[in-house]
Amino acid sequence: MVAPDTTAAVRGIRKTRGRRKTQGQAYIFLSPAMILFAVFTFIPIGWSILLSLQNYNAFANQGTFVGLHNYTTAISSSTFWSSLSLTAYFVFGSVPITIALALGLAVLLNRKGLKGTHIFQAVLFLPYILSSVGATLVWKWMFDTNFGVINGVLGWFGIPPIAWLTTTSGAMPAIIIMSIWGGVGFAMVIFQAGLAGIPQDVLEAAEIDGATRRQSFWRVVFPLLAPTTLFVVIISIINAAQVFTAVQVMTNGGPLNATNVIVFYIYQEAFQFYNMGFGSALAIVLFIITLILTAVMMMLSRRYVYYEGEVSDGRSS
Amino acid sequence: MRIGKTAMALAGSASLVALLAGCGSSGSNNSSSGPVNITYATFVVTRYPLLQKYVNKFNQAHKGKIHVTLEHEPGSNAMLTKLLSELQAGTAPQLVEQYGVYTPQLQSKGAIVPINSFIKKSHYSLQGFYPDEIQGATIDGKLWGLSIDGGPENLAIYYNKKLFEKYHVPFPTANWTWAQMLADAQKLNHPTQKEYGFLTFLGQTEGVSTRFYTWLWNAGGQLMNTSNTKAAFNSPAGLKALTMVSDLAKYSDVVARSEYEAAFQSGHVAMSEAGGWNIGTFTQSKLDYAVAPLPAMTPNGTRWTSAGPDYNLITKSTPAQEQAAWTFLQYLESPQLAAAMSADGNAPWRQISASQYPQYAATLKQYPQVGQEVAAQAHWQKLPPSFPNYSQMSLQVATMVESVLLNKTTPKQALAHYAQLATEAASGGSNP
């Protein structure tokens, strides 16, 4: 009677040791990624937080502790609020259109029997993998008031030339148009993956029940795509809130600060005027705003996003 | 097997740590036995191939002692941003070309070294440099750099002869005035045919500010007070200058900075306020153009142009590298090289004559605009003010001009608003 207990105890000890060993190996294998993450993400974030509490002289490598002064300066700065509202303009101008277009294209390319799907996919995804600086330079040329292709095409329809990049009203729409072009491919591929995961039997059941294509899309496909849509929305908002290259190359924040979005403002303060502490404070504020936005969306998703295999109260079935 | 996996994982981690550690090491090598390696950074893209040729010659002549690597800096304000980042990271070029107006900022940060002791030791002669060029690089009685393009490379009016002929407008003369220029711009402006009287560009860049200075000076105004602590352009002269800029814009093609050269080269613009650095590029486009001095406000008025030389500056590094940078700088600044470097239409940065240097004679023959540019600016060169927070102040001036060009405000309102901001920027007060 004793022997089995002893055996069980020994087994238990072996199991625990085995677990520990496996965990140790897991940590060792994870360590390269963890070191990279620490060096390039956590340490810079920590360093930024420290910098944001100082007036830092980069050349003398000296900082004076100023507490929350940089944050209060940011909040009382009209440029900060203007750059935040311009960022919001860019986010709400580009993200909904990008997502709607991407979803539409994904649904179109998902049709059975459609030939050349892969070619369309590749063409639409290409802007995402192109050099953003190179692509922006081409767009800049396309937006030229007098000799640009875009005004040339608009001219065929009797639309007078638009001063895209040299007016305060034209510059941001130009950047939004370019960003939509650059972002649709990525979102479309994610949506296609989401569409591929929708069970055929559910769609067939809807068809048998007499649902039209439109009803089938809005009542079956769209709800089942909700987790994918949530992911695309969050990623797109985060990316859009951090827009920089298009602004730097196409308008340099102008004309008259009409495209001076928050990340460009951070760059100006930190790397043009060398107000490292103030620039860091702005970066931390952006981080907090993005974090809050993401948290709000995640909370809302509990109510509106349906995960397959989940019962209505959120528990796994 | 398990030990093997663990060992592999440890080895992987160790090699990664080693790799990361390697990332942090300095890129400069200066072993006692090898040559002293230095980097020279230029921002004039058109000059790059010619410079590379002469850098190769220098390296050949100093084999085993000094090796120079040529690097291209981005133009405009970006070059200062890049240099400041490089200085902080300890990867700055040992010799760097920068806008002259940025010299005090770099000097105040302790980023560059004075060259007086080098000049004294090597008995280097400063004869042949334009006086303004020496003055522009002198801070606290010390000389901090030598000009790479000075006197003859400043602003003048470049005009498209074909458009003047097409609309029967006489070419600008050496005595022309603001009123004549405005009248000419109006006659030459035909936007429906995509032909414009003048060319203006937007952007918070040094180029926008510098162009405004010329109008301001010729209206009798000043940018800053004598101690460079307060903006002085909110004045009757400032109003005349900014009104002129605004009036000219009515007959202008307004483009982004990056499209400026291409717009004039396209042949659709009659006049542009450009400089000697454009001559090579404009000529390549087969444009039939000539150069006139800036107009005076009144017939007997001044025709100041901005003497904005760019300087070669030696950054703080090791004594051996600083000495090597000085050796290369002497070579770079020789009149012979200035004459040779003018071969692609770049105006030389030294007072040299065609009779002395056959290469310069060839340039003048091929690019008559170089001679016109030099003549246009004789006796009318003026330096912008020089102080550590200049670039921040200049940004406010550029924004002011932009706000008027975009009709967001009147010249009077803009002057009052931006003079206040420029004063704050000059004192560093706009910084948190």
Side-chain angles (χ1 to χ4, degrees):
Chain A
M1 286 302 283
V2 175
D5 282 344
T6 313
T7 313
V10 169
R11 271 185 197 156
I13 290 164
R14 276 185 188 161
K15 208 171 180 180
T16 311
R17 276 184 190 161
R19 258 187 214 152
R20 276 186 193 154
K21 203 165 188 177
T22 312
Q23 278 179 351
Q25 280 180 347
Y27 282 123
I28 289 169
F29 279 109
L30 278 172
S31 62
M34 283 164 73
I35 291 169
L36 279 175
F37 213 68
V39 170
F40 294 109
T41 306
F42 288 126
I43 294 174
I45 288 174
W47 183 235
S48 291
I49 293 169
L50 278 178
L51 275 182
S52 72
L53 303 171
Q54 299 175 43
N55 252 353
Y56 182 70
N57 180 345
F59 293 92
N61 200 17
Q62 280 175 344
T64 318
F65 183 76
V66 292
L68 296 175
H69 174 72
N70 287 326
Y71 290 92
T72 51
T73 309
I75 289 165
S76 59
S77 152
S78 60
T79 314
F80 167 73
W81 291 109
S82 142
S83 68
L84 263 191
S85 67
L86 285 166
T87 308
Y89 175 12
F90 177 79
V91 169
F92 293 110
S94 64
V95 172
I97 301 173
T98 304
I99 291 174
L101 272 176
L103 181 59
L105 285 166
V107 171
L108 280 177
L109 290 177
N110 208 40
R111 283 195 170 179
K112 280 177 193 167
L114 186 73
K115 284 180 184 170
T117 311
H118 294 302
I119 295 168
F120 281 116
Q121 269 178 342
V123 169
L124 290 164
F125 193 69
L126 203 60
Y128 189 73
I129 54 170
L130 279 178
S131 150
S132 50
V133 172
T136 310
L137 285 171
V138 173
W139 274 92
K140 197 174 175 180
W141 168 75
M142 286 165 63
F143 278 121
D144 184 279
T145 311
N146 289 317
F147 310 107
V149 177
I150 293 173
N151 277 352
V153 173
L154 292 176
W156 296 342
F157 302 98
I159 300 170
I162 298 169
W164 290 102
L165 302 177
T166 52
T167 55
T168 48
S169 56
M172 188 59 96
I175 292 175
I176 288 173
I177 291 169
M178 200 210 84
S179 300
I180 291 169
W181 169 84
V184 159
F186 172 74
M188 182 199 73
V189 167
I190 305 291
F191 275 126
Q192 278 192 301
L195 286 170
I198 293 174
Q200 281 301 307
D201 52 350
V202 182
L203 292 170
E204 282 164 12
E207 202 179 331
I208 291 163
D209 287 346
T212 62
R213 270 191 178 176
R214 183 175 289 191
Q215 284 172 327
S216 186
F217 176 78
W218 288 113
R219 303 274 174 85
V220 180
V221 175
F222 194 65
L224 286 173
L225 260 185
T228 311
T229 310
L230 176 72
F231 173 76
V232 173
V233 168
I234 290 174
I235 290 292
S236 300
I237 287 177
I238 290 172
N239 283 341
Q242 293 175 2
V243 61
F244 176 76
T245 310
V247 172
Q248 161 79 347
V249 177
M250 207 183 267
T251 61
N252 204 29
L256 212 58
N257 288 325
T259 55
N260 190 359
V261 290
I262 186 79
V263 176
F264 189 78
Y265 182 41
I266 292 169
Y267 162 77
Q268 268 192 325
E269 285 295 339
F271 298 106
Q272 283 190 336
F273 307 144
Y274 267 76
N275 296 324
M276 284 289 189
F278 186 59
S280 298
L282 293 172
I284 299 299
V285 171
L286 174 66
F287 173 69
I288 293 166
I289 292 170
T290 313
L291 199 69
I292 292 170
L293 265 177
T294 310
V296 168
M297 280 187 288
M298 293 302 286
M299 282 190 320
L300 286 175
S301 74
R302 286 187 193 158
R303 181 175 292 181
Y304 299 108
V305 176
Y306 167 74
Y307 290 93
E308 205 189 345
E310 197 178 53
V311 291
S312 59
D313 64 355
R315 286 175 290 134
S316 291
S317 60
Chain B
M1 261 326 260
R2 275 181 190 169
I3 293 166
K5 273 183 190 172
T6 310
M8 272 170 60
L10 282 170
S13 303
S15 58
L16 182 79
V17 170
L19 180 77
L20 289 171
C23 287
S25 70
S26 168
S28 63
N29 68 321
N30 280 300
S31 61
S32 54
S33 56
V36 179
N37 289 311
I38 59 165
T39 301
Y40 172 54
T42 177
F43 63 82
V44 184
V45 70
T46 50
R47 197 178 285 155
Y48 193 86
L50 259 177
L51 263 177
Q52 186 61 65
K53 187 178 146 191
Y54 288 103
V55 165
N56 292 345
K57 278 187 181 175
F58 177 88
N59 285 339
Q60 199 63 36
H62 294 79
K63 209 169 185 178
K65 291 174 186 167
I66 301 171
H67 186 270
V68 180
T69 304
L70 186 62
E71 191 179 84
H72 183 248
E73 294 276 325
S76 189
N77 295 9
M79 66 190 174
L80 179 65
T81 307
K82 185 179 178 217
L83 180 63
L84 290 172
S85 303
E86 287 172 332
L87 284 165
Q88 208 209 333
T91 57
Q94 285 70 32
L95 186 65
V96 64
E97 184 183 8
Q98 285 283 304
Y99 281 167
V101 287
Y102 298 156
T103 309
Q105 187 172 348
L106 292 164
Q107 183 265 345
S108 71
K109 291 188 187 305
I112 53 175
V113 295
I115 57 173
N116 303 68
S117 60
F118 293 120
I119 289 173
K120 201 176 171 185
K121 258 190 249 168
S122 54
H123 306 290
Y124 184 76
S125 170
L126 293 174
Q127 269 189 344
F129 284 98
Y130 291 86
D132 280 339
E133 297 177 45
I134 299 296
Q135 193 193 327
T138 304
I139 306 164
D140 297 337
K142 288 179 184 167
L143 189 62
W144 297 84
L146 291 178
S147 160
I148 188 91
D149 46 11
E153 274 223 273
N154 301 314
L155 295 167
I157 298 297
Y158 284 57
Y159 61 94
N160 180 334
K161 288 161 83 175
K162 277 192 179 163
L163 285 181
F164 272 77
E165 283 164 353
K166 182 179 173 183
Y167 294 107
H168 310 291
V169 177
F171 293 150
T173 64
N175 301 316
W176 70 326
T177 60
W178 286 16
Q180 283 167 328
M181 187 184 179
L182 262 180
D184 288 356
Q186 189 174 8
K187 285 177 206 162
L188 293 158
N189 195 48
H190 299 272
T192 49
Q193 294 169 49
K194 291 188 177 174
E195 286 172 346
Y196 302 90
F198 190 62
L199 181 63
T200 300
F201 67 84
L202 295 172
Q204 293 174 351
T205 72
E206 187 57 30
V208 172
S209 316
T210 310
R211 279 161 180 78
F212 172 71
Y213 303 161
T214 61
W215 301 111
L216 177 71
W217 291 332
N218 290 319
Q222 293 299 325
L223 190 64
M224 300 295 294
N225 64 0
T226 47
S227 56
N228 290 326
T229 51
K230 193 178 174 199
F233 55 81
N234 184 17
S235 62
L239 186 59
K240 282 177 192 163
L242 201 52
T243 305
M244 176 64 181
V245 170
S246 169
D247 288 346
L248 264 179
K250 292 172 195 160
Y251 314 119
S252 294
D253 185 14
V254 181
V255 298
R257 171 63 189 94
S258 54
E259 293 162 17
Y260 187 63
E261 278 84 7
F264 187 67
Q265 282 172 253
S266 72
H268 293 259
V269 172
M271 291 182 280
S272 167
E273 196 177 355
W277 60 91
N278 292 130
I279 290 173
T281 325
F282 287 170
T283 305
Q284 273 174 15
S285 66
K286 311 284 179 203
L287 193 73
D288 189 10
Y289 73 101
V291 182
L294 294 175
M297 195 175 77
T298 53
N300 297 318
T302 59
R303 297 174 193 280
W304 293 116
T305 183
S306 171
D310 305 326
Y311 289 110
N312 281 318
L313 308 166
I314 298 176
T315 59
K316 238 177 211 170
S317 54
T318 64
Q321 283 181 310
E322 287 173 9
Q323 181 59 51
W326 169 248
T327 306
F328 179 64
L329 183 57
Q330 288 177 81
Y331 166 78
L332 200 59
E333 296 285 353
S334 67
Q336 289 88 343
L337 202 65
M341 291 291 288
S342 69
D344 66 347
N346 277 306
W349 59 89
R350 301 291 299 272
Q351 296 187 61
I352 54 176
S353 69
S355 57
Q356 257 183 309
Y357 299 100
Q359 287 145 309
Y360 185 44
T363 301
L364 286 178
K365 198 176 171 191
Q366 193 183 352
Y367 304 99
Q369 296 87 357
V370 172
Q372 293 167 6
E373 167 91 29
V374 174
Q377 294 162 3
H379 316 300
W380 289 115
Q381 295 172 37
K382 196 165 185 166
L383 284 166
S386 176
F387 52 96
N389 288 325
Y390 170 85
S391 61
Q392 285 98 316
M393 186 282 304
S394 166
L395 185 71
Q396 298 302 336
V397 175
T399 313
M400 173 185 75
V401 174
E402 207 172 35
S403 72
V404 169
L405 290 175
L406 292 168
N407 293 318
K408 296 289 175 191
T409 179
T410 64
K412 198 175 177 180
Q413 288 167 335
L415 283 164
H417 180 65
Y418 288 99
Q420 173 76 29
L421 292 178
T423 298
E424 283 173 22
S427 63
S430 63
N431 298 345

